[in-house]
């Protein structure tokens, strides 16, 4: 079987790696890919939103399956186009992907179908939004209603922070012209639950926890994710089953009832609050960096699971390795703000751990930085503590003068409760 993977970051590197372990897969392309992916797949110089170009390539090369990584491709309607052409593709339609691309759509769907989440209001006018936020207790949770590369959420602790965020989102159009969802603030540990979904068929994957803040102690600005770990000892099997039965399954059923059945990976960003498990957000694709710690634990054939979902069949049951994984992201200095590119990276292939490339390129035969998040180093072990030690050791072996990383990834899962003074969120 020949597979085309759409995307080019660490999530797609992990997807390519997992597909490569299947005995049925004989060829993998990745568009556009990156320097690390190029070691395991043939990279194709096409943007992930170039729907016509990607469709023409898949037709010409005879791709048996296409797997979509980033949300931008889903929002561009790539699944609709491939299906209309009679090609197998793993991912939701543009209408079903609204569960991620429109926070307003997601909140209204949860309200209609009694899925537990935070109370909210939606605003398109800056003055009305500012007046409402001033009337509510702080912190305030402000979410841009659209895609913002993981940076469209602000937890405002002061009136000044709230006003600056509202100006960014509604007056300066930092992420584009749109609306703002103002949410009730919730507290508690967050966790990520990804599920293979084929219509009303829902099969959960292993739990993971993302770490959004840039610096140790969950401080600094929100990022696309600075690391992740799996499994999560602080979430009980009963709580996991409850989340599947009362959140993930009802949302899959709701999308089917609304006429836009979901096919692909439904990602639940969840929180265990004092009032029970609540939804923070949904994504319509594999999480990043959670994918990089979840897929290495998958013992089942990943290609077979994706093909089953693309054909509307149930992919389970899934088998998981009894091991722990912990990933540490190495990011360019300045991230998530402006950062320089082109710094040389040394030793990335000699760490003794899994290394997935997030933002790298080759320049004159040298591996260099090409993005904000550059690499994720994944340690594996019998316990999370062992996996963390191996990931930290491996990260320390990579040489680059322009990279930084957190040293406390997995601290909460290992018992460090002090690290969550405020929720971390995408």
């Amino acid at each position: 079987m020949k597979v085309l993977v759409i995307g080019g970051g660490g999530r797609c590197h992990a997807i390519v790696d997992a597909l490569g372990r299947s005995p049925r897969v004989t060829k993998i392309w990745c568009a556009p890919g990156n320097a690390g992916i190029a070691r395991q797949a043939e990279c194709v110089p096409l943007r992930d939103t170039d729907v016509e170009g990607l469709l023409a390539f898949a037709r010409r090369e005879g791709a048996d399956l296409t797997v979509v990584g980033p949300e931008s491709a889903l929002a561009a309607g790539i699944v609709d186009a491939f299906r209309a052409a009679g090609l197998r593709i793993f991912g939701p339609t543009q209408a079903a992907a609204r569960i991620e691309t429109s926070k307003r759509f997601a909140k209204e769907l949860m309200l209609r179908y009694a899925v537990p989440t935070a109370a909210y209001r939606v605003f398109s006018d800056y003055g009305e939004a500012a007046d409402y936020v001033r009337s509510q207790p702080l912190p305030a949770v402000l979410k841009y209603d659209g895609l913002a590369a993981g940076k469209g959420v602000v937890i405002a602790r002061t009136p000044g922070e709230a006003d600056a965020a509202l100006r960014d989102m509604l007056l300066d159009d930092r992420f584009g012209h749109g609306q703002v969802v103002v949410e009730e603030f919730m507290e508690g540990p967050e966790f990520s639950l990804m599920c293979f979904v084929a219509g009303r068929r829902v099969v959960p994957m292993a739990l993971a926890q993302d770490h959004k803040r840039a610096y140790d102690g969950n401080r600094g600005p929100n990022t696309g994710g600075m690391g992740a770990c799996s499994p999560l000892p602080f979430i009980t099997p009963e709580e996991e089953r409850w989340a599947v039965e009362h959140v993930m399954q009802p949302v899959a059923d709701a999308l089917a009832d609304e006429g836009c059945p979901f096919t692909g990976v439904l990602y639940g960003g969840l929180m265990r609050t004092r009032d029970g498990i609540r939804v923070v957000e949904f994504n319509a694709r594999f999480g990043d960096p959670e994918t990089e710690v979840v897929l290495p634990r998958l013992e089942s054939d990943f290609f077979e699971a994706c093909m089953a979902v693309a054909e509307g069949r149930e992919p389970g049951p899934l088998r998981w390795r009894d091991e722990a994984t912990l990933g540490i992201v190495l990011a360019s200095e300045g991230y998530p703000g402006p950062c320089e590119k082109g710094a040389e990276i040394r030793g990335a292939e000699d760490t003794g751990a899994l290394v997935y490339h997030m933002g790298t390129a080759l320049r004159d035969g040298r591996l260099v930085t090409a993005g904000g998040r550059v690499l994720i180093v994944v340690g594996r072990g019998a316990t999370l503590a062992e996996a963390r030690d191996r990931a930290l050791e491996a990260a320390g072996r990579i040489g680059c003068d322009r990279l930084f990383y957190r040293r406390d990834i997995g601290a909460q899962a290992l018992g460090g409760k002090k690290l969550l003074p405020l929720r971390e969120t995408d």
Side-chain angles (χ1 to χ4, degrees):
M1 289 287 182
K2 296 182 288 185
V3 185
L4 170 62
V5 177
I6 307 298
R11 163 182 48 213
C12 289
H13 195 173
I15 288 171
V16 166
D17 187 43
L19 287 168
R21 295 196 294 269
S22 172
R24 293 194 63 195
V25 175
T26 57
K27 176 70 177 182
I28 304 175
W29 299 280
C30 190
N34 61 37
I37 291 173
R39 293 174 176 267
Q40 296 175 267
E42 180 182 338
C43 291
V44 181
L46 291 171
R47 298 189 315 276
D48 56 32
T49 54
D50 182 3
V51 175
E52 291 185 5
L54 291 165
L55 178 58
F57 178 87
R59 277 174 157 167
R60 183 174 66 251
E61 299 296 334
D64 296 293
L65 176 68
T66 297
V67 179
V68 184
E71 61 274 23
S72 53
L74 299 173
I78 191 168
V79 172
D80 307 73
F82 271 57
R83 287 187 181 174
L87 299 182
R88 294 189 194 91
I89 186 165
F90 178 89
T93 62
Q94 192 176 49
R98 287 178 297 166
I99 196 71
E100 174 175 7
T101 60
S102 172
K103 291 180 173 61
R104 178 173 188 167
F105 173 83
K107 297 295 285 191
E108 290 176 348
L109 187 81
M110 286 186 274
L111 182 64
R112 283 199 299 276
Y113 290 87
V115 175
T117 188
Y120 74 101
R121 291 275 301 274
V122 181
F123 298 92
S124 56
D125 180 79
Y126 162 76
E128 292 178 3
D131 287 343
Y132 176 75
V133 170
R134 281 193 290 268
S135 72
Q136 300 299 307
L138 295 174
V141 182
L142 311 175
K143 296 183 175 182
Y144 176 72
D145 181 34
L147 297 178
K151 305 178 188 71
V153 173
V154 173
I155 301 173
R157 307 177 196 180
T158 68
E161 288 178 350
D163 187 67
L166 290 175
R167 287 180 178 276
D168 267 353
M169 297 177 187
L170 293 175
L171 293 182
D172 299 335
D173 293 340
R174 178 184 174 192
F175 306 112
H177 185 67
Q179 298 178 313
V180 169
V181 176
V182 181
E183 278 191 3
E184 164 199 13
F185 176 76
M186 301 186 297
E187 283 188 278
E190 290 193 43
F191 62 101
S192 304
L193 173 57
M194 297 187 289
C195 296
F196 285 109
V197 176
R200 298 182 188 274
R201 301 176 178 89
V202 177
V203 179
M205 299 185 216
L207 295 180
Q209 185 180 48
D210 188 7
H211 296 65
K212 286 293 181 189
R213 301 292 186 173
Y215 312 126
D216 285 350
N218 285 338
R219 293 180 172 83
N222 273 341
T223 71
M226 293 298 294
C229 59
S230 177
L232 305 181
F234 61 87
I235 300 297
T236 67
E238 291 75 21
E239 288 172 326
E240 182 178 358
R241 283 194 294 271
W242 193 95
V244 173
E245 294 172 3
H246 296 272
V247 175
M248 308 305 287
Q249 184 67 57
V251 168
D253 290 339
L255 289 168
D257 291 343
E258 296 281 323
C260 50
F262 192 97
T263 302
V265 170
L266 181 62
Y267 167 112
L270 310 178
M271 178 184 290
R272 189 184 66 195
T273 73
R274 286 174 292 186
D275 299 319
I277 292 173
R278 299 288 182 269
V279 175
V280 174
E281 65 174 354
F282 283 110
N283 290 335
R285 36 72 190 183
F286 282 104
D288 188 3
E290 293 96 333
T291 303
E292 290 93 305
V293 297
V294 169
L295 288 189
R297 296 187 59 209
L298 181 62
E299 195 173 85
S300 300
D301 190 308
F302 178 63
F303 168 78
E304 295 284 7
C306 291
M307 181 63 89
V309 170
E311 294 178 342
R313 298 180 284 111
E314 185 169 319
L318 301 176
R319 300 182 310 277
W320 298 92
R321 294 184 176 89
D322 186 18
E323 66 175 4
T325 49
L326 187 142
I328 298 173
V329 170
L330 281 68
S332 297
E333 287 181 355
Y335 178 75
C339 45
E340 293 184 7
K341 301 177 183 179
E344 185 175 1
I345 306 165
R346 302 172 300 278
E349 305 306 322
D350 302 311
T351 66
L354 286 173
V355 177
Y356 294 126
H357 291 230
M358 306 180 94
T360 63
L362 286 176
R363 180 178 298 173
D364 299 325
R366 298 178 298 117
L367 185 67
V368 299
T369 62
R373 292 187 300 168
V374 177
L375 300 166
I376 180 168
V377 178
V378 180
R380 306 166 80 163
T383 65
L384 274 175
E386 188 174 287
R388 176 198 58 188
D389 291 346
R390 289 177 177 174
L392 284 169
E393 181 182 1
R397 292 178 178 173
I398 295 175
C400 183
D401 298 333
R402 295 291 184 267
L403 295 179
F404 76 96
Y405 57 91
R406 284 180 59 166
R407 290 167 172 79
D408 67 343
I409 302 299
Q412 185 184 29
L414 289 163
K417 298 180 181 179
K418 67 179 182 179
L419 292 181
L420 290 175
L422 292 174
R423 80 174 190 183
E424 43 181 292
T425 187
D426 186 0

